PDB file of all heavy atoms in Angstrom:
ATOM      1  N   PRO A 261      -7.018   6.873  -4.631  1.00  0.00           N
ATOM      2  CA  PRO A 261      -8.436   7.105  -4.345  1.00  0.00           C
ATOM      3  C   PRO A 261      -9.440   6.670  -5.485  1.00  0.00           C
ATOM      4  O   PRO A 261     -10.535   6.518  -5.113  1.00  0.00           O
ATOM      5  CB  PRO A 261      -8.412   8.633  -4.186  1.00  0.00           C
ATOM      6  CG  PRO A 261      -7.132   9.181  -4.704  1.00  0.00           C
ATOM      7  CD  PRO A 261      -6.103   8.014  -4.755  1.00  0.00           C
ATOM      8  N   ASP A 262      -8.806   6.538  -6.711  1.00  0.00           N
ATOM      9  CA  ASP A 262      -9.841   6.153  -7.757  1.00  0.00           C
ATOM     10  C   ASP A 262     -10.007   4.622  -7.923  1.00  0.00           C
ATOM     11  O   ASP A 262     -10.724   4.154  -8.599  1.00  0.00           O
ATOM     12  CB  ASP A 262      -9.379   6.805  -9.143  1.00  0.00           C
ATOM     13  CG  ASP A 262      -7.914   6.397  -9.602  1.00  0.00           C
ATOM     14  OD1 ASP A 262      -7.294   5.511  -8.868  1.00  0.00           O
ATOM     15  OD2 ASP A 262      -7.452   6.934 -10.546  1.00  0.00           O
ATOM     16  N   LEU A 265      -5.051   3.029  -9.564  1.00  0.00           N
ATOM     17  CA  LEU A 265      -3.575   2.867  -9.196  1.00  0.00           C
ATOM     18  C   LEU A 265      -3.404   2.010  -7.864  1.00  0.00           C
ATOM     19  O   LEU A 265      -4.232   2.150  -6.885  1.00  0.00           O
ATOM     20  CB  LEU A 265      -2.913   4.222  -8.985  1.00  0.00           C
ATOM     21  CG  LEU A 265      -2.797   4.985 -10.208  1.00  0.00           C
ATOM     22  CD1 LEU A 265      -2.081   6.318  -9.858  1.00  0.00           C
ATOM     23  CD2 LEU A 265      -2.013   4.374 -11.274  1.00  0.00           C
ATOM     24  N   LEU A 277       4.307   1.236  -8.988  1.00  0.00           N
ATOM     25  CA  LEU A 277       2.899   1.693  -9.241  1.00  0.00           C
ATOM     26  C   LEU A 277       2.430   0.826 -10.345  1.00  0.00           C
ATOM     27  O   LEU A 277       2.919   0.484 -11.355  1.00  0.00           O
ATOM     28  CB  LEU A 277       2.966   3.121  -9.723  1.00  0.00           C
ATOM     29  CG  LEU A 277       3.393   4.144  -8.817  1.00  0.00           C
ATOM     30  CD1 LEU A 277       3.223   5.561  -9.432  1.00  0.00           C
ATOM     31  CD2 LEU A 277       2.355   4.236  -7.626  1.00  0.00           C
ATOM     32  N   LEU A 286       3.266   0.605 -14.108  1.00  0.00           N
ATOM     33  CA  LEU A 286       3.421   1.836 -14.710  1.00  0.00           C
ATOM     34  C   LEU A 286       4.777   2.457 -14.454  1.00  0.00           C
ATOM     35  O   LEU A 286       5.184   3.380 -15.158  1.00  0.00           O
ATOM     36  CB  LEU A 286       2.327   2.903 -14.062  1.00  0.00           C
ATOM     37  CG  LEU A 286       0.856   2.381 -14.420  1.00  0.00           C
ATOM     38  CD1 LEU A 286      -0.049   3.375 -13.681  1.00  0.00           C
ATOM     39  CD2 LEU A 286       0.666   2.413 -15.948  1.00  0.00           C
ATOM     40  N   GLY A 287       5.460   2.057 -13.368  1.00  0.00           N
ATOM     41  CA  GLY A 287       6.746   2.570 -13.089  1.00  0.00           C
ATOM     42  C   GLY A 287       7.268   2.237 -11.769  1.00  0.00           C
ATOM     43  O   GLY A 287       6.556   1.600 -10.826  1.00  0.00           O
ATOM     44  N   VAL A 288       8.473   2.594 -11.430  1.00  0.00           N
ATOM     45  CA  VAL A 288       9.198   2.256 -10.303  1.00  0.00           C
ATOM     46  C   VAL A 288       9.699   3.560  -9.524  1.00  0.00           C
ATOM     47  O   VAL A 288      10.179   4.524 -10.338  1.00  0.00           O
ATOM     48  CB  VAL A 288      10.512   1.365 -10.489  1.00  0.00           C
ATOM     49  CG1 VAL A 288      11.286   1.143  -9.249  1.00  0.00           C
ATOM     50  CG2 VAL A 288      10.241   0.198 -11.058  1.00  0.00           C
ATOM     51  N   LEU A 289       9.341   3.780  -8.304  1.00  0.00           N
ATOM     52  CA  LEU A 289       9.691   5.019  -7.556  1.00  0.00           C
ATOM     53  C   LEU A 289      11.108   4.760  -6.768  1.00  0.00           C
ATOM     54  O   LEU A 289      10.983   4.358  -5.544  1.00  0.00           O
ATOM     55  CB  LEU A 289       8.559   5.320  -6.590  1.00  0.00           C
ATOM     56  CG  LEU A 289       7.166   5.451  -7.200  1.00  0.00           C
ATOM     57  CD1 LEU A 289       6.244   5.884  -6.188  1.00  0.00           C
ATOM     58  CD2 LEU A 289       7.271   6.538  -8.329  1.00  0.00           C
ATOM     59  N   PHE A 301      -1.582   7.033  -0.485  1.00  0.00           N
ATOM     60  CA  PHE A 301      -1.953   8.092  -1.395  1.00  0.00           C
ATOM     61  C   PHE A 301      -2.481   9.309  -0.655  1.00  0.00           C
ATOM     62  O   PHE A 301      -3.292   9.085   0.318  1.00  0.00           O
ATOM     63  CB  PHE A 301      -2.775   7.569  -2.518  1.00  0.00           C
ATOM     64  CG  PHE A 301      -2.219   6.764  -3.578  1.00  0.00           C
ATOM     65  CD1 PHE A 301      -2.104   5.263  -3.315  1.00  0.00           C
ATOM     66  CD2 PHE A 301      -1.707   7.310  -4.728  1.00  0.00           C
ATOM     67  CE1 PHE A 301      -1.635   4.461  -4.354  1.00  0.00           C
ATOM     68  CE2 PHE A 301      -1.078   6.536  -5.650  1.00  0.00           C
ATOM     69  CZ  PHE A 301      -1.084   5.181  -5.494  1.00  0.00           C
ATOM     70  N   SER A 302      -2.282  10.389  -1.223  1.00  0.00           N
ATOM     71  CA  SER A 302      -3.027  11.647  -0.802  1.00  0.00           C
ATOM     72  C   SER A 302      -4.453  11.490  -1.283  1.00  0.00           C
ATOM     73  O   SER A 302      -4.727  10.819  -2.230  1.00  0.00           O
ATOM     74  CB  SER A 302      -2.387  12.894  -1.246  1.00  0.00           C
ATOM     75  OG  SER A 302      -2.368  12.977  -2.664  1.00  0.00           O
ATOM     76  N   ASP A 304      -6.277  13.359  -3.016  1.00  0.00           N
ATOM     77  CA  ASP A 304      -6.446  13.622  -4.467  1.00  0.00           C
ATOM     78  C   ASP A 304      -5.609  12.804  -5.381  1.00  0.00           C
ATOM     79  O   ASP A 304      -5.731  12.946  -6.624  1.00  0.00           O
ATOM     80  CB  ASP A 304      -6.178  15.223  -4.755  1.00  0.00           C
ATOM     81  CG  ASP A 304      -4.586  15.511  -4.462  1.00  0.00           C
ATOM     82  OD1 ASP A 304      -3.790  14.581  -4.225  1.00  0.00           O
ATOM     83  OD2 ASP A 304      -4.301  16.737  -4.606  1.00  0.00           O
ATOM     84  N   GLY A 305      -4.795  11.895  -4.901  1.00  0.00           N
ATOM     85  CA  GLY A 305      -4.169  10.871  -5.578  1.00  0.00           C
ATOM     86  C   GLY A 305      -2.859  11.428  -6.228  1.00  0.00           C
ATOM     87  O   GLY A 305      -2.187  10.743  -7.041  1.00  0.00           O
ATOM     88  N   GLN A 306      -2.509  12.748  -5.919  1.00  0.00           N
ATOM     89  CA  GLN A 306      -1.384  13.357  -6.576  1.00  0.00           C
ATOM     90  C   GLN A 306      -0.071  12.983  -5.908  1.00  0.00           C
ATOM     91  O   GLN A 306       1.027  13.021  -6.504  1.00  0.00           O
ATOM     92  CB  GLN A 306      -1.605  15.019  -6.652  1.00  0.00           C
ATOM     93  CG  GLN A 306      -2.766  15.373  -7.241  1.00  0.00           C
ATOM     94  CD  GLN A 306      -2.689  15.104  -8.687  1.00  0.00           C
ATOM     95  OE1 GLN A 306      -1.608  15.406  -9.416  1.00  0.00           O
ATOM     96  NE2 GLN A 306      -3.748  14.414  -9.272  1.00  0.00           N
ATOM     97  N   LEU A 307      -0.048  12.736  -4.649  1.00  0.00           N
ATOM     98  CA  LEU A 307       1.115  12.435  -3.881  1.00  0.00           C
ATOM     99  C   LEU A 307       1.035  10.910  -3.279  1.00  0.00           C
ATOM    100  O   LEU A 307      -0.064  10.446  -2.995  1.00  0.00           O
ATOM    101  CB  LEU A 307       1.287  13.351  -2.707  1.00  0.00           C
ATOM    102  CG  LEU A 307       1.668  14.756  -3.046  1.00  0.00           C
ATOM    103  CD1 LEU A 307       1.658  15.610  -1.729  1.00  0.00           C
ATOM    104  CD2 LEU A 307       3.009  14.950  -3.841  1.00  0.00           C
ATOM    105  N   LEU A 308       2.254  10.418  -3.175  1.00  0.00           N
ATOM    106  CA  LEU A 308       2.410   9.072  -2.516  1.00  0.00           C
ATOM    107  C   LEU A 308       3.357   9.237  -1.369  1.00  0.00           C
ATOM    108  O   LEU A 308       4.448   9.681  -1.599  1.00  0.00           O
ATOM    109  CB  LEU A 308       2.750   7.905  -3.424  1.00  0.00           C
ATOM    110  CG  LEU A 308       2.898   6.526  -2.685  1.00  0.00           C
ATOM    111  CD1 LEU A 308       1.572   6.030  -2.606  1.00  0.00           C
ATOM    112  CD2 LEU A 308       3.793   5.769  -3.655  1.00  0.00           C
ATOM    113  N   LEU A 319       8.072  11.702  -0.023  1.00  0.00           N
ATOM    114  CA  LEU A 319       6.916  12.108  -0.755  1.00  0.00           C
ATOM    115  C   LEU A 319       7.234  12.126  -2.294  1.00  0.00           C
ATOM    116  O   LEU A 319       8.232  12.641  -2.599  1.00  0.00           O
ATOM    117  CB  LEU A 319       6.457  13.529  -0.421  1.00  0.00           C
ATOM    118  CG  LEU A 319       5.906  13.689   1.005  1.00  0.00           C
ATOM    119  CD1 LEU A 319       5.524  15.099   1.301  1.00  0.00           C
ATOM    120  CD2 LEU A 319       4.615  12.857   1.273  1.00  0.00           C
ATOM    121  N   TRP A 320       6.355  11.384  -3.026  1.00  0.00           N
ATOM    122  CA  TRP A 320       6.398  11.322  -4.477  1.00  0.00           C
ATOM    123  C   TRP A 320       5.225  11.813  -5.135  1.00  0.00           C
ATOM    124  O   TRP A 320       4.105  11.731  -4.749  1.00  0.00           O
ATOM    125  CB  TRP A 320       6.635   9.716  -4.807  1.00  0.00           C
ATOM    126  CG  TRP A 320       7.896   9.073  -4.403  1.00  0.00           C
ATOM    127  CD1 TRP A 320       8.137   8.564  -3.194  1.00  0.00           C
ATOM    128  CD2 TRP A 320       8.952   8.920  -5.264  1.00  0.00           C
ATOM    129  NE1 TRP A 320       9.546   8.062  -3.069  1.00  0.00           N
ATOM    130  CE2 TRP A 320      10.039   8.326  -4.433  1.00  0.00           C
ATOM    131  CE3 TRP A 320       9.236   9.185  -6.603  1.00  0.00           C
ATOM    132  CZ2 TRP A 320      11.201   7.915  -4.963  1.00  0.00           C
ATOM    133  CZ3 TRP A 320      10.525   8.788  -7.078  1.00  0.00           C
ATOM    134  CH2 TRP A 320      11.436   8.161  -6.334  1.00  0.00           C
ATOM    135  N   GLU A 321       5.660  12.552  -6.296  1.00  0.00           N
ATOM    136  CA  GLU A 321       4.559  12.983  -7.162  1.00  0.00           C
ATOM    137  C   GLU A 321       4.183  11.738  -8.022  1.00  0.00           C
ATOM    138  O   GLU A 321       5.050  11.017  -8.553  1.00  0.00           O
ATOM    139  CB  GLU A 321       5.104  14.112  -8.033  1.00  0.00           C
ATOM    140  CG  GLU A 321       4.054  14.749  -8.896  1.00  0.00           C
ATOM    141  CD  GLU A 321       4.679  16.004  -9.702  1.00  0.00           C
ATOM    142  OE1 GLU A 321       5.283  15.642 -10.778  1.00  0.00           O
ATOM    143  OE2 GLU A 321       4.532  17.018  -9.270  1.00  0.00           O
ATOM    144  N   VAL A 322       2.825  11.463  -8.084  1.00  0.00           N
ATOM    145  CA  VAL A 322       2.449  10.221  -8.844  1.00  0.00           C
ATOM    146  C   VAL A 322       2.425  10.371 -10.349  1.00  0.00           C
ATOM    147  O   VAL A 322       2.741   9.494 -11.048  1.00  0.00           O
ATOM    148  CB  VAL A 322       1.002   9.818  -8.353  1.00  0.00           C
ATOM    149  CG1 VAL A 322       0.505   8.621  -8.913  1.00  0.00           C
ATOM    150  CG2 VAL A 322       1.213   9.468  -6.767  1.00  0.00           C
ATOM    151  N   VAL A 323       1.847  11.592 -10.880  1.00  0.00           N
ATOM    152  CA  VAL A 323       1.673  11.674 -12.270  1.00  0.00           C
ATOM    153  C   VAL A 323       3.013  11.630 -12.988  1.00  0.00           C
ATOM    154  O   VAL A 323       3.017  10.867 -13.934  1.00  0.00           O
ATOM    155  CB  VAL A 323       0.896  12.993 -12.610  1.00  0.00           C
ATOM    156  CG1 VAL A 323       0.752  13.206 -14.011  1.00  0.00           C
ATOM    157  CG2 VAL A 323      -0.511  13.051 -11.844  1.00  0.00           C
ATOM    158  N   ARG A 324       3.925  12.397 -12.724  1.00  0.00           N
ATOM    159  CA  ARG A 324       5.195  12.289 -13.207  1.00  0.00           C
ATOM    160  C   ARG A 324       6.143  11.785 -12.156  1.00  0.00           C
ATOM    161  O   ARG A 324       6.631  12.567 -11.379  1.00  0.00           O
ATOM    162  CB  ARG A 324       5.708  13.629 -13.665  1.00  0.00           C
ATOM    163  CG  ARG A 324       5.018  14.220 -14.741  1.00  0.00           C
ATOM    164  CD  ARG A 324       5.533  15.598 -15.179  1.00  0.00           C
ATOM    165  NE  ARG A 324       5.935  16.361 -13.935  1.00  0.00           N
ATOM    166  CZ  ARG A 324       6.101  17.462 -13.743  1.00  0.00           C
ATOM    167  NH1 ARG A 324       6.095  18.330 -14.826  1.00  0.00           N
ATOM    168  NH2 ARG A 324       6.483  18.128 -12.520  1.00  0.00           N
ATOM    169  N   PRO A 325       6.283  10.412 -11.890  1.00  0.00           N
ATOM    170  CA  PRO A 325       6.993   9.998 -10.814  1.00  0.00           C
ATOM    171  C   PRO A 325       8.346  10.624 -10.500  1.00  0.00           C
ATOM    172  O   PRO A 325       9.185  10.407 -11.288  1.00  0.00           O
ATOM    173  CB  PRO A 325       7.059   8.520 -11.066  1.00  0.00           C
ATOM    174  CG  PRO A 325       5.998   8.189 -11.964  1.00  0.00           C
ATOM    175  CD  PRO A 325       5.917   9.406 -12.802  1.00  0.00           C
ATOM    176  N   ARG A 326       8.390  11.362  -9.405  1.00  0.00           N
ATOM    177  CA  ARG A 326       9.648  11.929  -8.954  1.00  0.00           C
ATOM    178  C   ARG A 326       9.507  12.318  -7.398  1.00  0.00           C
ATOM    179  O   ARG A 326       8.408  12.572  -7.029  1.00  0.00           O
ATOM    180  CB  ARG A 326       9.975  13.180  -9.717  1.00  0.00           C
ATOM    181  CG  ARG A 326       8.962  14.363  -9.574  1.00  0.00           C
ATOM    182  CD  ARG A 326       9.362  15.514 -10.435  1.00  0.00           C
ATOM    183  NE  ARG A 326       8.301  16.575 -10.268  1.00  0.00           N
ATOM    184  CZ  ARG A 326       8.595  17.725  -9.487  1.00  0.00           C
ATOM    185  NH1 ARG A 326       9.713  17.850  -8.900  1.00  0.00           N
ATOM    186  NH2 ARG A 326       7.702  18.599  -9.361  1.00  0.00           N
ATOM    187  N   LYS A 327      10.641  12.099  -6.707  1.00  0.00           N
ATOM    188  CA  LYS A 327      10.596  12.468  -5.358  1.00  0.00           C
ATOM    189  C   LYS A 327      10.509  14.032  -5.177  1.00  0.00           C
ATOM    190  O   LYS A 327      11.288  14.669  -5.820  1.00  0.00           O
ATOM    191  CB  LYS A 327      11.784  11.863  -4.544  1.00  0.00           C
ATOM    192  CG  LYS A 327      11.595  11.947  -3.056  1.00  0.00           C
ATOM    193  CD  LYS A 327      12.660  11.458  -2.240  1.00  0.00           C
ATOM    194  CE  LYS A 327      13.639  10.662  -2.732  1.00  0.00           C
ATOM    195  NZ  LYS A 327      14.596  10.170  -1.670  1.00  0.00           N
ATOM    196  N   VAL A 328       9.561  14.428  -4.428  1.00  0.00           N
ATOM    197  CA  VAL A 328       9.335  15.919  -4.199  1.00  0.00           C
ATOM    198  C   VAL A 328       9.675  16.277  -2.773  1.00  0.00           C
ATOM    199  O   VAL A 328       9.660  17.494  -2.497  1.00  0.00           O
ATOM    200  CB  VAL A 328       7.923  16.382  -4.546  1.00  0.00           C
ATOM    201  CG1 VAL A 328       7.835  16.114  -6.083  1.00  0.00           C
ATOM    202  CG2 VAL A 328       6.902  15.618  -3.889  1.00  0.00           C
TER     203      VAL A 328
END
Side-chain angles (χ1 to χ4, degrees):
D262 59 6
L265 290 182
L277 290 177
L286 298 177
V288 176
L289 304 182
F301 282 92
S302 61
D304 64 5
Q306 300 298 307
L307 294 175
L308 181 73
L319 291 177
W320 288 82
E321 190 176 81
V322 175
V323 176
R324 293 179 322 198
R326 64 185 181 102
K327 190 178 346 181
V328 294

